[in-house]
């Protein structure tokens, strides 16, 4: 794994294999440890088949007697390894990847996290189709690829994955999200969108001791039990006592003005310590989890379908993908921590990914020296190409209209850059930003 081996050392992999009882019983061309690193390397090179990944993994080891491996041998090796070692490895590495001093990782002393879900395409094989089903549209009862639903708990400051679960989409995001309660605890504030603001999930989150900030749907009308000076009011959702903040957000761009009403619910009841206006601004951090999914699905996967055609293979591949994503985030966090006050948002995931791929192909930095360098080649590439501090970027939503398939040939996209200003009013008592 090149320099990333220093974050996932041989000793860690060997301990995981021993704990899972996955150590090979006899000496093989592909020992279990090698297969683990093969799976991780495959997550770095999603555009390649496993034989091509093996070539990249061993390309710089020409001085060593590398055995010739067939595609069939690689398949059997992955089957022997199973899912448990990859899941255990991810469990060891998952976490916020932040320290107390990490810029914008905490708010009012609370670690800011978010929960949301996304779908990954899997091959249209009989086993995956039977378990996951397929989508439908107006033309056919089954279309597209089968999909598996991934629901993650992400640290908004570093975009690192604290926990993740996945399964059939028929169970719904809320059902899968409840399983993430095992990783929620006091000292966190979890941000939730409207699709995850049902009473059962909010009660589960509150029972863990974590605070939550959730957007409610317009259809919900929580009772007013008391009013606070900042315009928010006391209410109850199920058996959880909450504070409701109703705010009107107006976005002004060169394309016009758009106004929407947000209704947020939080278990932070002290309006002095946690002002309504600050909570409204904090909710925008929920979009960091979308950046996480973009990095995984677009930057790493390239919007490709997963390779595995069996459900155990799909699980194995997803855990490898999450593990490698997390390892790169750890490398980014280590690098940005060396410059006090640097927001991890300024670090380019694409730059880190390309640097990690180069290190694998060159077999560089596999063994750490006597002095551990938290930056290394990957971190230095990130620091050399830090992005500017984030600025407000808003584009008006385009209205989608049905077009003839021939119309797309002449369709031209307007790529203007829109400048925007945002004003927020807490309903009941206006507050200027």
């Amino acid at each position: 794994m090149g320099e990333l081996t220093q974050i996932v050392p041989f000793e860690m992999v060997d301990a995981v294999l021993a704990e899972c009882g996955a150590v090979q019983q006899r000496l093989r061309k592909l020992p279990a440890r090698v297969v683990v690193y093969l799976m991780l390397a495959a997550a770095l090179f999603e555009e390649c088949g496993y034989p091509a990944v093996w070539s990249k993994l061993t390309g710089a080891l020409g001085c060593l007697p590398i055995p010739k491996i067939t595609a069939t041998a690689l398949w059997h090796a992955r089957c022997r390894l199973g899912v448990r070692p990859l899941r255990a490895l991810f469990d060891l590495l998952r976490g916020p990847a932040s320290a107390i001093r990490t810029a914008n990782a905490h708010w009012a002393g609370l670690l800011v996290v978010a929960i949301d879900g996304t779908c990954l395409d899997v091959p249209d094989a009989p086993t995956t189709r039977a378990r996951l089903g397929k989508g439908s549209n107006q033309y056919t009862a089954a279309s597209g690829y089968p999909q598996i639903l991934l629901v993650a708990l992400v640290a908004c400051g570093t975009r690192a994955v604290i926990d993740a679960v996945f399964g059939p989409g028929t169970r719904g995001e809320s059902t899968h999200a409840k399983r993430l309660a095992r990783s929620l605890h006091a000292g966190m504030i979890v941000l939730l969108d409207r699709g995850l603001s049902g009473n059962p999930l909010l009660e589960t989150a509150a029972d863990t001791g974590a605070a939550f900030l959730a957007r409610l749907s317009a259809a919900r009308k929580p009772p007013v039990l008391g009013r606070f000076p900042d315009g928010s009011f006391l209410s109850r959702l199920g058996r959880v006592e909450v504070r409701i903040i109703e705010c009107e957000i107006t976005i002004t761009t060169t394309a016009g003005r758009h106004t929407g009403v947000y209704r947020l619910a939080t278990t932070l009841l002290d309006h002095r310590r946690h002002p309504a206006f600050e909570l409204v601004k904090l909710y925008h951090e929920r979009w960091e989890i979308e950046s996480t999914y973009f990095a995984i699905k677009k930057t790493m996967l390239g919007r490709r379908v997963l390779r595995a055609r069996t459900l155990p293979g799909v699980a194995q591949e997803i855990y490898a993908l999450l593990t490698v994503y997390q390892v790169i985030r750890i490398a980014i966090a280590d690098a940005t921590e060396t410059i006090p006050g640097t927001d991890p948002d300024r670090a380019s995931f694409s730059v880190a990914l390309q640097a990690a791929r180069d290190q694998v192909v060159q077999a560089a930095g596999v063994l750490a020296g006597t002095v551990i360098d938290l930056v290394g080649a990957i971190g230095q590439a990130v620091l050399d190409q830090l992005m500017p501090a984030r600025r407000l970027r808003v584009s008006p939503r385009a209205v989608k209209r049905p077009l003839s398939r021939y119309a797309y040939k002449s369709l031209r996209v307007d790529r203007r850059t829109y400048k925007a200003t945002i004003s927020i009013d807490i309903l009941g008592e206006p507050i200027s930003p």
Side-chain angles (χ1 to χ4, degrees):
M1 284 291 289
E3 190 178 270
L4 295 183
T5 308
Q6 298 180 27
I7 302 176
V8 192
F10 303 139
E11 296 80 6
M12 178 186 292
V13 174
D14 290 343
V16 164
L17 291 171
E19 179 183 352
C20 296
V23 180
Q24 66 278 355
Q25 298 301 311
R26 60 185 178 87
L27 186 61
R28 297 177 179 271
K29 289 183 177 180
L30 290 170
R33 179 208 283 180
V34 173
V35 182
V36 170
Y37 284 111
L38 171 69
M39 294 299 303
L40 299 181
L44 280 175
F45 300 99
E46 283 288 345
E47 70 279 7
C48 300
Y50 284 103
V53 174
W54 175 256
S55 298
K56 291 181 180 294
L57 198 60
T58 60
L61 305 177
C63 58
L64 300 177
I66 304 297
K68 291 184 179 181
I69 304 296
T70 65
T72 301
L74 293 173
W75 182 81
H76 284 296
R78 301 197 313 274
C79 292
R80 285 195 304 269
L81 182 67
V83 179
R84 290 184 61 202
L86 273 302
R87 180 173 58 203
L89 190 59
F90 172 67
D91 282 338
L92 283 177
L93 293 165
R94 63 186 176 91
S98 64
I100 295 297
R101 64 180 182 274
T102 302
N104 297 328
H106 295 77
W107 179 85
L110 301 172
L111 179 66
V112 182
V113 301
I115 295 177
D116 205 355
T118 191
C119 290
L120 300 176
D121 291 335
V122 301
D124 190 0
T127 53
T128 57
R129 193 186 315 123
R131 179 70 184 277
L132 303 176
K134 296 183 68 173
S136 61
N137 57 33
Q138 58 184 326
Y139 302 110
T140 178
S143 64
Y145 289 100
Q147 292 185 322
I148 192 164
L149 178 62
L150 171 66
V151 183
L153 172 66
V154 170
C156 295
T158 58
R159 301 174 186 169
V161 178
I162 299 174
D163 201 354
V165 295
F166 51 86
T170 52
R171 297 180 184 175
E173 284 188 19
S174 296
T175 302
H176 290 293
K178 280 186 178 181
R179 297 163 57 193
L180 298 175
R182 64 195 180 195
S183 298
L184 295 176
H185 54 76
M188 285 182 171
I189 179 167
V190 55
L191 310 181
L192 302 165
D193 69 1
R194 287 175 294 184
L196 295 173
S197 61
N199 288 356
L201 181 57
L202 296 183
E203 291 172 356
T204 300
D207 290 341
T208 66
F212 65 72
L213 179 63
R215 183 183 178 188
L216 304 181
S217 66
R220 301 192 68 174
K221 306 295 182 183
V224 179
L225 304 180
R227 292 213 173 261
F228 296 104
D230 63 354
S232 59
F233 62 87
L234 185 67
S235 187
R236 182 173 292 276
L237 297 175
R239 55 182 173 81
V240 181
E241 193 174 42
V242 297
R243 178 167 151 232
I244 304 295
I245 302 168
E246 292 182 324
C247 58
E248 187 177 88
I249 299 178
T250 300
I251 301 175
T252 305
T253 72
T254 54
R257 293 164 60 92
H258 175 75
T259 300
V261 175
Y262 277 55
R263 182 181 290 115
L264 305 178
T266 180
T267 49
L268 300 176
L269 304 182
D270 190 339
H271 67 279
R272 296 180 182 87
R273 288 186 59 193
H274 310 109
F277 180 68
E278 297 301 321
L279 284 165
V280 173
K281 292 195 298 182
L282 173 67
Y283 185 73
H284 186 71
E285 291 296 310
R286 192 197 71 79
W287 289 99
E288 297 296 344
I289 195 170
E290 303 295 344
S291 297
T292 296
Y293 287 142
F294 184 86
I296 293 174
K297 297 175 65 175
K298 175 61 173 67
T299 309
M300 296 182 70
L301 273 173
R303 303 196 187 280
R304 297 178 182 86
V305 180
L306 297 179
R307 300 182 183 91
R309 303 181 67 85
T310 64
L311 289 176
V314 168
Q316 188 184 57
E317 188 173 353
I318 291 176
Y319 279 122
L321 192 66
L322 292 172
T323 300
V324 172
Y325 172 83
Q326 182 70 3
V327 168
I328 294 175
R329 283 297 179 195
I330 291 172
I332 289 174
D334 287 345
T336 54
E337 283 292 328
T338 61
I339 304 179
T342 301
D343 193 328
D345 283 352
R346 296 181 58 195
S348 169
F349 185 84
S350 296
V351 169
L353 177 64
Q354 293 300 328
R357 288 172 171 172
D358 292 342
Q359 294 291 296
V360 171
V361 173
Q362 298 166 11
V366 175
L367 300 177
T370 55
V371 178
I372 301 298
D373 185 359
L374 291 179
V375 177
I378 298 173
Q380 194 59 55
V382 169
L383 295 179
D384 288 344
Q385 301 180 60
L386 283 177
M387 296 183 290
R390 178 176 295 180
R391 59 184 175 84
L392 181 63
R393 291 175 292 180
V394 179
S395 294
R397 185 185 297 274
V399 178
K400 296 181 179 179
R401 297 179 179 176
L403 294 174
S404 164
R405 62 177 180 174
Y406 302 104
Y408 288 103
K409 296 181 179 179
S410 59
L411 182 64
R412 300 185 66 181
V413 179
D414 185 358
R415 298 185 179 274
R416 291 177 295 173
T417 300
Y418 293 90
K419 294 183 178 179
T421 58
I422 296 179
S423 62
I424 302 173
D425 286 338
I426 307 299
L427 299 183
E429 182 167 332
I431 297 180
S432 59

